[in-house]
Amino acid sequence: MEIQTLSSDFSPAPDLIPVSYLNAYVYCPRRFFLEHNQGMFEDNAHTVEGRSLHRVVDGKDPARASKKGDAIHRRSVSFSSMSLGITGKLDLLEEKEGSVLYPVEYKKSKKPPKDRQPWLNDQIQVCAQSLLMAENGLPMPEKAYIYYIGSKARVEVSLSESLLEQTKQTIAQCRLISRSDILPPLADNRNKCFGCSLNAICLPEEEDVSKGRKTNARTIIPMSMDGDILYVDTTGAYLNLSSGSIIITAPGGMEIGNASIEQLREIVLFGNVQTTTQVLHTCMKNNIPVHYLNFYGRYVGTCSPMLHYNGLLREAQWKAHFDKLLSFEYSKIIVFSKLVNMRTLMMRYLREKRTDKDLESFESIKSINKQVMNAENIQSLRGYEGYGAKIYFSRFGDFIKPEKQSFFKFSGRNRRPPRDPANALLSFGYSLLAKDCTGTAIRVGFDPFCGFYHVMKYGRPSLALDIMEFFRQPIVDSMVLTAVNNGVFRENDFYQFQNTCYLNEKGRKKFLVQYEMRKRDMITHPKFHYRLSYERTIELQFRLLGKSLLNEIDNYEGFSIR
C-alpha cells in the first residue's frame, strides 16, 4: 500500500497539537499547559532513557518500508490533520498480510499486569494516531498496539467507540486550553508528580504552602542538580569533540582531561582557553551553556542555547521592572533577606565570645532590618543595605581564627582588584556565584539583565545579582571562612604584586573544589522544611519569583538562613 504523507523532516504546523501532548494532558492538564503553551521542558532520568531508546526505535531510514517476518514495517511515520487539529509521528506502522495497517507505540516501561489495561493516556495516544491514519486516506484500524521495551512485549488496544469518543473529547479540551492563558489547577493525585520531569517547574507542594493550604511540603522536586560542571583554567588549553566526549589538551598536545557530553550541565572556561565550533554546536544542541571568565576569575559572559520559549515570563518580568511600586517591594525583600543572612553568619562565628561589641553589631543590623520594610524610597533602602554591609565587613576579620589572621588579615572589603588574600577569595567566589545565578536565570526563562534592586546598566546581569544577594553569605562567605580557618589555602596559592592579589592556578583549583562541594551541601529549606542542595535552592528561588510575577502565588519571600 502506498502512503502519500510520509516525511522524514516533518515539523508540526504551529496550530496543530502533537499527539504526545494529548498523552501529557490526560496525565495532567497543567503539564500540557506548561509544555504546550509555555514551552517548558526539563529532562529527568525517565525522559533521557526514553529518548535514548527511541533513537534505536526510530531507525536510520524513517518511513522506509522493510520486511520483518510476515510483516512490513515503516518507522517514524508522520501524519497531520487540519480537521482533527492534531499532528504526530508514529513510532511504527505495521502491516500484515490480510490485515489493515495499525500503529505501534513504544514505551520504555514494563507491560501492565494481565488484569490491568494500559494507562488511559497511552491508549488515547495510539487512538489519536489511528484517527490520523484514517484522516490521511488509510483504513481506520480496529486495534493498535503498545510495545513495552522493559518487558519486550506488546499489548493490544481495542479502538472501541468509547475510546474514540474520549480521544475526540481530549483533543477538544486540549485545543481549548491551548488558546487560554489560565494555568490549570494542580493534579489531585500528587503521587503523579514524583515521576513528572516538570515537577521542579510546576512546584505543586511549594504552591500549596505559599497559598497556606499546608505547612510542610513533600519533597517532590529533586534535591540536587543532575550533571557535572566542567571547569578548564589551564592557559592555552584546547577543547575538541570526539565520539560524544569533550577532549581537553594542553598547549603541547597532551590530553589532560575529557568529559562526556551526556554527563555535563555546564562548561566554565577561564582566560585563554580555546574551543572548536563543533564543541559549541554540540553544547547548544544539548542545552549546555558555556561560561567565560577572564584569567582573574571575573565573569565575562555566556554562550547559551536559543532564548527560552517562555516569553510570557519575560513580559511579566519587564512589566514588574517598570512598575516602580512593585519593583521597590521586590527590592525590599532582597535587602531584608541579605541583612538577615549577614546577622546570622555574624552570630554563628561570634557565638563563643559574645562581647559587648558583638552584641552591639547584632543589634545594629537587627535595627536596620526593621527599617528596611518601611523604607520610603530606593535611595534610603540602598543606605540601609550599605550601612548593614559596613557593620558586617567591619567584623568579618574577627570570623577568621587568630592563628590565620597574620596572612589572611581583613581590614575591609576591597575589589577590582582585590588587594589581599581574603578579598581575593571573596571576589572570586562572588564571580562564580554571579555566573551560576546568570545561568540559572537564563535556564528558567528570565532576562538576567532586567532586575529590581540592581540598576540596569550595560553588561550588568541585574536580576542575577538580585537573586545572588540571598546566597552571598550562605554559599561564598561561609565557604571562604571555613576553608581559611581549616588551612585549605596557603600563601603559595596567590599572586601578590603591587597592592593586588589574585588566586593562581593552584589556588583556583582548590577554590573550585571547595565551591562545588559547598553548592552540593544539603540544607533544610526554611519555608518548605525539606532538604535540598544550595544549587537547587538557587533555582527554586528563581522559579518562585517567576510564579510570583505570573500571579501563580500571592507572596514572594527571600531566602534566609537560620
Side-chain angles (χ1 to χ4, degrees), residues 238-241 261 275-284:
Y238 187 81
L239 277 64
N240 62 68
L241 191 67
I261 285 286
T275 180
T276 64
T277 305
Q278 287 80 4
V279 169
L280 289 177
H281 281 194
T282 303
C283 287
M284 298 305 100

Side-chain angles (χ1 to χ4, degrees), residues 92-129:
L92 174 63
L93 198 56
E94 188 172 82
E95 180 181 17
K96 288 186 176 179
E97 190 174 347
S99 69
V100 298
L101 287 156
Y102 49 82
V104 182
E105 174 66 19
Y106 282 68
K107 298 294 178 189
K108 75 174 186 63
S109 56
K110 293 185 177 181
K111 64 179 281 190
K114 289 183 179 179
D115 58 344
R116 208 179 72 193
Q117 293 291 313
W119 294 110
L120 179 61
N121 48 328
D122 294 336
Q123 292 188 55
I124 284 183
Q125 186 174 356
V126 290
C127 185
Q129 293 173 354

Side-chain angles (χ1 to χ4, degrees), residues 397-558:
D398 297 331
F399 306 161
I400 298 171
K401 288 180 178 177
E403 60 268 29
K404 302 292 180 186
Q405 290 182 6
S406 58
F407 182 68
F408 291 99
K409 184 179 180 182
F410 189 89
S411 55
R413 181 81 179 107
N414 57 67
R415 57 190 182 133
R416 298 181 185 177
R419 296 195 288 273
D420 55 76
N423 273 293
L425 292 170
L426 289 175
S427 292
F428 190 60
Y430 293 154
S431 289
L432 293 176
L433 187 57
K435 177 270 296 178
D436 283 332
C437 289
T438 303
T440 307
I442 294 171
R443 189 171 69 252
V444 170
F446 282 107
D447 176 353
F449 295 93
C450 174
F452 305 108
Y453 180 60
H454 287 83
V455 176
M456 193 181 290
K457 187 178 176 182
Y458 180 81
R460 173 187 285 174
S462 300
L463 181 69
L465 297 178
D466 283 352
I467 301 300
M468 176 178 159
E469 297 295 355
F470 300 132
F471 299 100
R472 282 179 187 264
Q473 283 71 43
I475 294 182
V476 177
D477 294 9
S478 177
M479 183 228 89
V480 167
L481 289 166
T482 302
V484 167
N485 287 334
N486 289 338
V488 174
F489 295 104
R490 298 182 179 177
E491 191 170 349
N492 60 2
D493 293 323
F494 298 88
Y495 289 123
Q496 295 191 72
F497 180 71
Q498 289 192 334
N499 208 28
T500 63
C501 183
Y502 291 107
L503 281 160
N504 59 26
E505 185 174 334
K506 181 184 171 188
R508 285 199 301 272
K509 281 183 168 48
K510 285 184 179 179
F511 193 101
L512 293 173
V513 170
Q514 297 294 318
Y515 180 73
E516 285 301 315
M517 286 170 57
R518 184 61 178 164
K519 284 198 305 177
R520 287 177 167 80
D521 277 353
M522 305 298 285
I523 55 159
T524 300
H525 195 280
K527 182 174 179 63
F528 304 120
H529 308 128
Y530 53 49
R531 290 182 67 74
L532 76 174
S533 66
Y534 270 118
E535 55 187 351
R536 177 63 78 181
T537 310
I538 295 174
E539 182 186 304
L540 179 61
Q541 209 60 37
F542 275 102
R543 300 279 184 201
L544 292 171
L545 176 61
K547 281 184 163 289
S548 172
L549 291 170
L550 294 169
N551 296 319
E552 294 171 15
I553 57 175
D554 298 329
N555 300 311
Y556 179 67
E557 294 183 20

